[in-house]
Amino acid sequence: AMFRAVSVAHSIRPVVAIPSSVVATRAFAKKASVATAAGGSSSSSAPAGKAAPSKGAASAKSFPVQVYGQSGRYARALYNISKQKNAVDALETDFNNFMGVWNQSDKFRQFLTDLSVSPNVHRKGIDDFTKEAKSSDEFKNFLCVVTENRAQKEMSKIHADFQALANGHRGKVTATVTSARPLSSAQIKDMSGAINSFLGGGYTLSLDVKVNKDLIAGFMVDVLDNRIDLSLSSKIKKLQSVLEKPL
């Protein structure tokens, strides 16, 4: 069955070679519309731990994007506080300043992630840092809760999730476009137009363009809580799955 799958895959490769910008955007728009009609996503689940904006869920849950896992829970808690205080930008600045030290100082990071250190000692270190950095009391309390719950090693993920929430609050959305080969500037422009049409307005879009040769041909788009997979590798996997089933 595997030999049959590979044989068929080789036979269709010339037909499914990397699409032109026009074909690519039309294919994306068609796939995206099907995903939306089916409930908002062509993928069964959002990547774990990554921010996956959901326009429909935002109004119901009061979050501009959906974030997942332990890091998502802490990020949502901080976002709620920032909304209540009308201080999303200020708390984002506090968090960015903290992460600057966290990423640059091994000693600082190792101190806060050392679980043999008591929460009281961590709290004293946080007090000293936030006073020097002139951080808000809300951010200081947030750091104390994270360390008391021994979730310090999630800090980078919490920061990324909070940034996604803050960007969503400002109407900013990042779409990740992964193609088997580098896209031309014209293809990227057309892809951006197609994704903007799919979003339906109200967002400022930025593209994160990547290359993954394992896709063989075609491309994949992650935007909102949707994954639009138009790669040849996914087609081959589906074909192999069908051919490997007993007759």
Side-chain angles (χ1 to χ4, degrees), residues 79-127:
Y79 177 74
N80 275 335
I81 294 170
S82 70
K83 283 281 288 178
Q84 291 168 10
K85 299 292 184 178
N86 194 26
V88 175
D89 292 346
L91 277 168
E92 184 181 24
T93 298
D94 286 345
F95 212 159
N96 289 343
N97 291 339
F98 171 83
M99 290 305 297
V101 179
W102 175 277
N103 291 326
Q104 293 174 15
S105 173
D106 290 341
K107 186 176 180 179
F108 180 72
R109 185 175 61 256
Q110 288 167 4
F111 163 69
L112 283 181
T113 55
D114 186 350
L115 299 185
S116 67
V117 176
S118 73
N120 287 336
V121 175
H122 279 151
R123 189 180 303 112
K124 178 62 169 62
I126 290 170
D127 283 340

Short mmCIF file of all heavy atoms in Angstrom, two decimals, residues 79-127:
data_model
loop_
_atom_site.label_atom_id
_atom_site.label_comp_id
_atom_site.label_asym_id
_atom_site.label_seq_id
_atom_site.Cartn_x
_atom_site.Cartn_y
_atom_site.Cartn_z
N TYR A 79 -4.24 39.87 31.59
CA TYR A 79 -5.00 40.68 30.63
C TYR A 79 -6.28 41.23 31.26
O TYR A 79 -6.64 42.40 31.06
CB TYR A 79 -5.33 39.86 29.38
CG TYR A 79 -6.16 40.62 28.38
CD1 TYR A 79 -5.59 41.61 27.59
CD2 TYR A 79 -7.52 40.36 28.23
CE1 TYR A 79 -6.35 42.33 26.66
CE2 TYR A 79 -8.29 41.07 27.32
CZ TYR A 79 -7.69 42.05 26.54
OH TYR A 79 -8.46 42.76 25.65
N ASN A 80 -6.95 40.39 32.05
CA ASN A 80 -8.17 40.86 32.73
C ASN A 80 -7.87 42.04 33.65
O ASN A 80 -8.62 43.02 33.70
CB ASN A 80 -8.78 39.71 33.54
CG ASN A 80 -9.70 38.83 32.71
OD1 ASN A 80 -10.25 39.28 31.70
ND2 ASN A 80 -9.87 37.58 33.12
N ILE A 81 -6.77 41.92 34.39
CA ILE A 81 -6.38 43.02 35.28
C ILE A 81 -6.08 44.28 34.47
O ILE A 81 -6.50 45.39 34.82
CB ILE A 81 -5.14 42.61 36.11
CG1 ILE A 81 -5.50 41.48 37.07
CG2 ILE A 81 -4.59 43.81 36.88
CD1 ILE A 81 -4.30 40.85 37.75
N SER A 82 -5.34 44.10 33.38
CA SER A 82 -4.97 45.26 32.56
C SER A 82 -6.20 45.93 31.95
O SER A 82 -6.24 47.16 31.83
CB SER A 82 -4.00 44.84 31.46
OG SER A 82 -4.63 44.04 30.47
N LYS A 83 -7.20 45.14 31.61
CA LYS A 83 -8.44 45.71 31.06
C LYS A 83 -9.20 46.47 32.15
O LYS A 83 -9.72 47.57 31.92
CB LYS A 83 -9.31 44.60 30.48
CG LYS A 83 -8.86 44.09 29.13
CD LYS A 83 -9.28 45.03 28.00
CE LYS A 83 -10.78 44.93 27.77
NZ LYS A 83 -11.23 45.86 26.71
N GLN A 84 -9.28 45.87 33.33
CA GLN A 84 -10.00 46.52 34.44
C GLN A 84 -9.36 47.85 34.80
O GLN A 84 -10.06 48.82 35.15
CB GLN A 84 -10.00 45.59 35.66
CG GLN A 84 -10.86 44.35 35.48
CD GLN A 84 -10.62 43.33 36.58
OE1 GLN A 84 -9.96 43.60 37.59
NE2 GLN A 84 -11.15 42.12 36.40
N LYS A 85 -8.04 47.93 34.72
CA LYS A 85 -7.32 49.14 35.07
C LYS A 85 -7.11 50.06 33.87
O LYS A 85 -6.48 51.12 34.02
CB LYS A 85 -5.95 48.78 35.66
CG LYS A 85 -6.02 47.95 36.94
CD LYS A 85 -6.58 48.75 38.09
CE LYS A 85 -6.57 47.96 39.38
NZ LYS A 85 -7.07 48.73 40.54
N ASN A 86 -7.61 49.64 32.70
CA ASN A 86 -7.39 50.39 31.46
C ASN A 86 -5.89 50.64 31.26
O ASN A 86 -5.45 51.76 30.97
CB ASN A 86 -8.14 51.72 31.50
CG ASN A 86 -8.22 52.38 30.13
OD1 ASN A 86 -8.16 51.70 29.10
ND2 ASN A 86 -8.33 53.70 30.09
N ALA A 87 -5.12 49.56 31.44
CA ALA A 87 -3.66 49.70 31.44
C ALA A 87 -2.98 48.58 30.65
O ALA A 87 -1.95 48.05 31.06
CB ALA A 87 -3.15 49.71 32.87
N VAL A 88 -3.57 48.20 29.52
CA VAL A 88 -2.98 47.13 28.71
C VAL A 88 -1.57 47.51 28.26
O VAL A 88 -0.62 46.73 28.40
CB VAL A 88 -3.86 46.81 27.48
CG1 VAL A 88 -3.17 45.79 26.58
CG2 VAL A 88 -5.22 46.29 27.93
N ASP A 89 -1.43 48.71 27.73
CA ASP A 89 -0.11 49.15 27.24
C ASP A 89 0.89 49.24 28.39
O ASP A 89 2.06 48.85 28.24
CB ASP A 89 -0.23 50.51 26.54
CG ASP A 89 -1.00 50.43 25.24
OD1 ASP A 89 -1.21 49.30 24.74
OD2 ASP A 89 -1.38 51.48 24.70
N ALA A 90 0.46 49.78 29.53
CA ALA A 90 1.37 49.95 30.67
C ALA A 90 1.86 48.61 31.20
O ALA A 90 3.07 48.44 31.47
CB ALA A 90 0.68 50.74 31.78
N LEU A 91 0.95 47.63 31.33
CA LEU A 91 1.36 46.33 31.83
C LEU A 91 2.19 45.57 30.81
O LEU A 91 3.08 44.80 31.18
CB LEU A 91 0.12 45.51 32.24
CG LEU A 91 -0.40 45.83 33.64
CD1 LEU A 91 -1.77 45.22 33.87
CD2 LEU A 91 0.57 45.35 34.69
N GLU A 92 1.91 45.80 29.53
CA GLU A 92 2.76 45.19 28.51
C GLU A 92 4.18 45.75 28.60
O GLU A 92 5.16 45.00 28.45
CB GLU A 92 2.18 45.44 27.12
CG GLU A 92 2.97 44.73 26.01
CD GLU A 92 2.42 44.99 24.63
OE1 GLU A 92 1.75 46.03 24.44
OE2 GLU A 92 2.66 44.17 23.73
N THR A 93 4.30 47.04 28.84
CA THR A 93 5.63 47.65 29.02
C THR A 93 6.34 47.07 30.23
O THR A 93 7.54 46.75 30.18
CB THR A 93 5.50 49.18 29.17
OG1 THR A 93 4.94 49.72 27.97
CG2 THR A 93 6.87 49.82 29.40
N ASP A 94 5.61 46.92 31.34
CA ASP A 94 6.19 46.30 32.54
C ASP A 94 6.71 44.90 32.23
O ASP A 94 7.83 44.53 32.63
CB ASP A 94 5.14 46.20 33.66
CG ASP A 94 4.84 47.54 34.30
OD1 ASP A 94 5.62 48.49 34.10
OD2 ASP A 94 3.80 47.64 35.01
N PHE A 95 5.89 44.13 31.52
CA PHE A 95 6.27 42.75 31.20
C PHE A 95 7.47 42.73 30.25
O PHE A 95 8.39 41.92 30.41
CB PHE A 95 5.08 42.02 30.58
CG PHE A 95 5.03 40.54 30.90
CD1 PHE A 95 3.83 39.84 30.79
CD2 PHE A 95 6.16 39.84 31.29
CE1 PHE A 95 3.76 38.48 31.08
CE2 PHE A 95 6.11 38.48 31.58
CZ PHE A 95 4.91 37.80 31.47
N ASN A 96 7.47 43.60 29.25
CA ASN A 96 8.59 43.65 28.32
C ASN A 96 9.89 44.01 29.03
O ASN A 96 10.95 43.43 28.74
CB ASN A 96 8.31 44.67 27.20
CG ASN A 96 7.24 44.20 26.24
OD1 ASN A 96 6.91 43.02 26.19
ND2 ASN A 96 6.68 45.11 25.47
N ASN A 97 9.83 44.96 29.95
CA ASN A 97 11.02 45.35 30.71
C ASN A 97 11.53 44.19 31.55
O ASN A 97 12.74 43.93 31.63
CB ASN A 97 10.71 46.55 31.61
CG ASN A 97 10.48 47.82 30.81
OD1 ASN A 97 10.89 47.94 29.66
ND2 ASN A 97 9.80 48.79 31.42
N PHE A 98 10.58 43.49 32.17
CA PHE A 98 10.96 42.33 32.99
C PHE A 98 11.62 41.26 32.13
O PHE A 98 12.66 40.69 32.51
CB PHE A 98 9.71 41.77 33.68
CG PHE A 98 9.95 40.46 34.38
CD1 PHE A 98 10.48 40.42 35.66
CD2 PHE A 98 9.62 39.26 33.77
CE1 PHE A 98 10.70 39.22 36.31
CE2 PHE A 98 9.83 38.05 34.40
CZ PHE A 98 10.37 38.02 35.68
N MET A 99 11.03 40.97 30.96
CA MET A 99 11.59 39.92 30.11
C MET A 99 12.94 40.31 29.52
O MET A 99 13.76 39.44 29.21
CB MET A 99 10.61 39.60 28.98
CG MET A 99 9.33 38.89 29.43
SD MET A 99 9.62 37.37 30.38
CE MET A 99 10.45 36.35 29.16
N GLY A 100 13.19 41.60 29.38
CA GLY A 100 14.50 42.04 28.93
C GLY A 100 15.57 41.61 29.90
O GLY A 100 16.63 41.08 29.50
N VAL A 101 15.31 41.80 31.20
CA VAL A 101 16.26 41.37 32.23
C VAL A 101 16.29 39.85 32.32
O VAL A 101 17.35 39.22 32.45
CB VAL A 101 15.90 41.99 33.59
CG1 VAL A 101 16.86 41.52 34.67
CG2 VAL A 101 15.90 43.51 33.50
N TRP A 102 15.12 39.24 32.26
CA TRP A 102 15.00 37.77 32.33
C TRP A 102 15.85 37.10 31.25
O TRP A 102 16.54 36.12 31.51
CB TRP A 102 13.53 37.40 32.17
CG TRP A 102 13.20 35.95 32.08
CD1 TRP A 102 13.26 35.14 30.97
CD2 TRP A 102 12.74 35.10 33.15
NE1 TRP A 102 12.87 33.87 31.26
CE2 TRP A 102 12.53 33.82 32.60
CE3 TRP A 102 12.47 35.32 34.50
CZ2 TRP A 102 12.08 32.75 33.37
CZ3 TRP A 102 12.02 34.25 35.26
CH2 TRP A 102 11.84 32.99 34.70
N ASN A 103 15.81 37.63 30.04
CA ASN A 103 16.53 37.01 28.91
C ASN A 103 18.02 37.33 28.92
O ASN A 103 18.83 36.54 28.41
CB ASN A 103 15.92 37.47 27.59
CG ASN A 103 14.54 36.90 27.36
OD1 ASN A 103 14.24 35.78 27.77
ND2 ASN A 103 13.67 37.67 26.72
N GLN A 104 18.40 38.46 29.50
CA GLN A 104 19.80 38.89 29.45
C GLN A 104 20.61 38.47 30.67
O GLN A 104 21.83 38.31 30.58
CB GLN A 104 19.87 40.41 29.30
CG GLN A 104 19.35 40.93 27.96
CD GLN A 104 19.30 42.44 27.90
OE1 GLN A 104 19.90 43.13 28.73
NE2 GLN A 104 18.58 42.97 26.92
N SER A 105 19.96 38.28 31.80
CA SER A 105 20.68 37.95 33.03
C SER A 105 20.44 36.50 33.44
O SER A 105 19.35 36.16 33.94
CB SER A 105 20.24 38.90 34.16
OG SER A 105 20.81 38.50 35.39
N ASP A 106 21.43 35.66 33.25
CA ASP A 106 21.31 34.27 33.67
C ASP A 106 21.11 34.17 35.18
O ASP A 106 20.35 33.33 35.67
CB ASP A 106 22.57 33.49 33.28
CG ASP A 106 22.69 33.30 31.77
OD1 ASP A 106 21.67 33.44 31.07
OD2 ASP A 106 23.82 33.04 31.30
N LYS A 107 21.81 35.03 35.92
CA LYS A 107 21.72 35.00 37.38
C LYS A 107 20.31 35.32 37.85
O LYS A 107 19.75 34.63 38.72
CB LYS A 107 22.70 36.02 37.96
CG LYS A 107 22.80 35.98 39.49
CD LYS A 107 23.86 36.95 39.99
CE LYS A 107 23.96 36.90 41.51
NZ LYS A 107 25.01 37.83 42.02
N PHE A 108 19.70 36.33 37.25
CA PHE A 108 18.34 36.73 37.61
C PHE A 108 17.35 35.61 37.28
O PHE A 108 16.49 35.25 38.10
CB PHE A 108 17.97 38.01 36.85
CG PHE A 108 16.59 38.53 37.13
CD1 PHE A 108 16.28 39.12 38.34
CD2 PHE A 108 15.59 38.44 36.16
CE1 PHE A 108 15.00 39.62 38.61
CE2 PHE A 108 14.31 38.93 36.41
CZ PHE A 108 14.02 39.52 37.63
N ARG A 109 17.47 35.05 36.08
CA ARG A 109 16.55 33.99 35.65
C ARG A 109 16.71 32.74 36.49
O ARG A 109 15.73 32.11 36.90
CB ARG A 109 16.78 33.69 34.16
CG ARG A 109 15.80 32.67 33.58
CD ARG A 109 16.00 32.50 32.09
NE ARG A 109 17.34 32.00 31.76
CZ ARG A 109 18.31 32.76 31.26
NH1 ARG A 109 18.11 34.04 31.03
NH2 ARG A 109 19.50 32.23 30.98
N GLN A 110 17.97 32.36 36.78
CA GLN A 110 18.21 31.16 37.57
C GLN A 110 17.69 31.33 39.00
O GLN A 110 17.18 30.37 39.60
CB GLN A 110 19.70 30.84 37.57
CG GLN A 110 20.20 30.31 36.24
CD GLN A 110 21.72 30.30 36.13
OE1 GLN A 110 22.43 30.63 37.08
NE2 GLN A 110 22.23 29.91 34.96
N PHE A 111 17.81 32.54 39.54
CA PHE A 111 17.29 32.81 40.88
C PHE A 111 15.78 32.60 40.93
O PHE A 111 15.26 31.92 41.82
CB PHE A 111 17.65 34.23 41.30
CG PHE A 111 16.85 34.74 42.47
CD1 PHE A 111 17.03 34.22 43.74
CD2 PHE A 111 15.89 35.74 42.29
CE1 PHE A 111 16.27 34.68 44.82
CE2 PHE A 111 15.13 36.20 43.36
CZ PHE A 111 15.32 35.67 44.63
N LEU A 112 15.07 33.17 39.96
CA LEU A 112 13.60 33.08 40.00
C LEU A 112 13.08 31.70 39.63
O LEU A 112 11.95 31.36 39.99
CB LEU A 112 13.00 34.14 39.08
CG LEU A 112 12.99 35.57 39.62
CD1 LEU A 112 12.35 36.53 38.61
CD2 LEU A 112 12.26 35.67 40.95
N THR A 113 13.85 30.91 38.90
CA THR A 113 13.38 29.58 38.49
C THR A 113 13.88 28.48 39.43
O THR A 113 13.54 27.31 39.24
CB THR A 113 13.81 29.25 37.05
OG1 THR A 113 15.23 29.39 36.93
CG2 THR A 113 13.12 30.17 36.06
N ASP A 114 14.66 28.86 40.42
CA ASP A 114 15.18 27.88 41.39
C ASP A 114 14.08 27.55 42.41
O ASP A 114 13.76 28.35 43.28
CB ASP A 114 16.41 28.46 42.10
CG ASP A 114 17.09 27.43 43.00
OD1 ASP A 114 16.51 26.34 43.21
OD2 ASP A 114 18.20 27.73 43.49
N LEU A 115 13.50 26.36 42.28
CA LEU A 115 12.38 25.98 43.14
C LEU A 115 12.82 25.62 44.55
O LEU A 115 11.97 25.40 45.43
CB LEU A 115 11.62 24.81 42.51
CG LEU A 115 11.00 25.08 41.13
CD1 LEU A 115 10.18 23.87 40.68
CD2 LEU A 115 10.15 26.34 41.15
N SER A 116 14.14 25.54 44.78
CA SER A 116 14.61 25.32 46.15
C SER A 116 14.58 26.61 46.96
O SER A 116 14.69 26.57 48.19
CB SER A 116 16.04 24.75 46.13
OG SER A 116 16.96 25.71 45.65
N VAL A 117 14.43 27.75 46.28
CA VAL A 117 14.32 29.05 46.94
C VAL A 117 12.87 29.22 47.39
O VAL A 117 11.93 28.95 46.63
CB VAL A 117 14.73 30.19 45.99
CG1 VAL A 117 14.51 31.55 46.65
CG2 VAL A 117 16.18 30.02 45.57
N SER A 118 12.66 29.67 48.60
CA SER A 118 11.30 29.82 49.12
C SER A 118 10.57 30.96 48.41
O SER A 118 11.19 31.92 47.94
CB SER A 118 11.34 30.10 50.62
OG SER A 118 11.78 31.43 50.86
N PRO A 119 9.24 30.87 48.32
CA PRO A 119 8.46 31.95 47.70
C PRO A 119 8.69 33.30 48.37
O PRO A 119 8.64 34.34 47.71
CB PRO A 119 7.01 31.48 47.89
CG PRO A 119 7.11 29.99 47.94
CD PRO A 119 8.40 29.71 48.66
N ASN A 120 8.96 33.30 49.69
CA ASN A 120 9.21 34.56 50.39
C ASN A 120 10.47 35.24 49.89
O ASN A 120 10.52 36.47 49.73
CB ASN A 120 9.31 34.33 51.90
CG ASN A 120 7.96 34.02 52.53
OD1 ASN A 120 6.92 34.40 52.00
ND2 ASN A 120 7.98 33.34 53.67
N VAL A 121 11.50 34.45 49.62
CA VAL A 121 12.76 35.00 49.10
C VAL A 121 12.54 35.49 47.67
O VAL A 121 13.04 36.55 47.28
CB VAL A 121 13.89 33.96 49.17
CG1 VAL A 121 15.16 34.49 48.51
CG2 VAL A 121 14.17 33.58 50.62
N HIS A 122 11.79 34.72 46.88
CA HIS A 122 11.46 35.16 45.52
C HIS A 122 10.69 36.48 45.57
O HIS A 122 10.94 37.39 44.77
CB HIS A 122 10.63 34.10 44.80
CG HIS A 122 11.43 33.00 44.22
ND1 HIS A 122 10.94 31.72 44.06
CD2 HIS A 122 12.71 32.96 43.76
CE1 HIS A 122 11.86 30.94 43.53
NE2 HIS A 122 12.94 31.67 43.34
N ARG A 123 9.76 36.57 46.52
CA ARG A 123 8.94 37.78 46.63
C ARG A 123 9.81 39.00 46.94
O ARG A 123 9.59 40.08 46.41
CB ARG A 123 7.87 37.60 47.70
CG ARG A 123 6.83 38.73 47.72
CD ARG A 123 5.78 38.52 48.79
NE ARG A 123 5.09 37.24 48.64
CZ ARG A 123 5.19 36.23 49.48
NH1 ARG A 123 5.98 36.33 50.55
NH2 ARG A 123 4.54 35.11 49.28
N LYS A 124 10.82 38.80 47.80
CA LYS A 124 11.73 39.90 48.13
C LYS A 124 12.50 40.34 46.88
O LYS A 124 12.67 41.55 46.62
CB LYS A 124 12.71 39.45 49.21
CG LYS A 124 13.75 40.50 49.59
CD LYS A 124 13.11 41.75 50.17
CE LYS A 124 14.16 42.67 50.81
NZ LYS A 124 15.15 43.17 49.86
N GLY A 125 12.95 39.36 46.08
CA GLY A 125 13.65 39.69 44.85
C GLY A 125 12.76 40.43 43.87
O GLY A 125 13.19 41.37 43.18
N ILE A 126 11.49 40.01 43.79
CA ILE A 126 10.53 40.67 42.91
C ILE A 126 10.26 42.10 43.39
O ILE A 126 10.19 43.03 42.58
CB ILE A 126 9.23 39.85 42.84
CG1 ILE A 126 9.47 38.55 42.07
CG2 ILE A 126 8.11 40.67 42.17
CD1 ILE A 126 8.33 37.57 42.14
N ASP A 127 10.15 42.28 44.69
CA ASP A 127 9.95 43.63 45.25
C ASP A 127 11.10 44.55 44.85
O ASP A 127 10.88 45.69 44.41
CB ASP A 127 9.85 43.57 46.78
CG ASP A 127 8.49 43.08 47.25
OD1 ASP A 127 7.53 43.14 46.45
OD2 ASP A 127 8.40 42.64 48.41
#
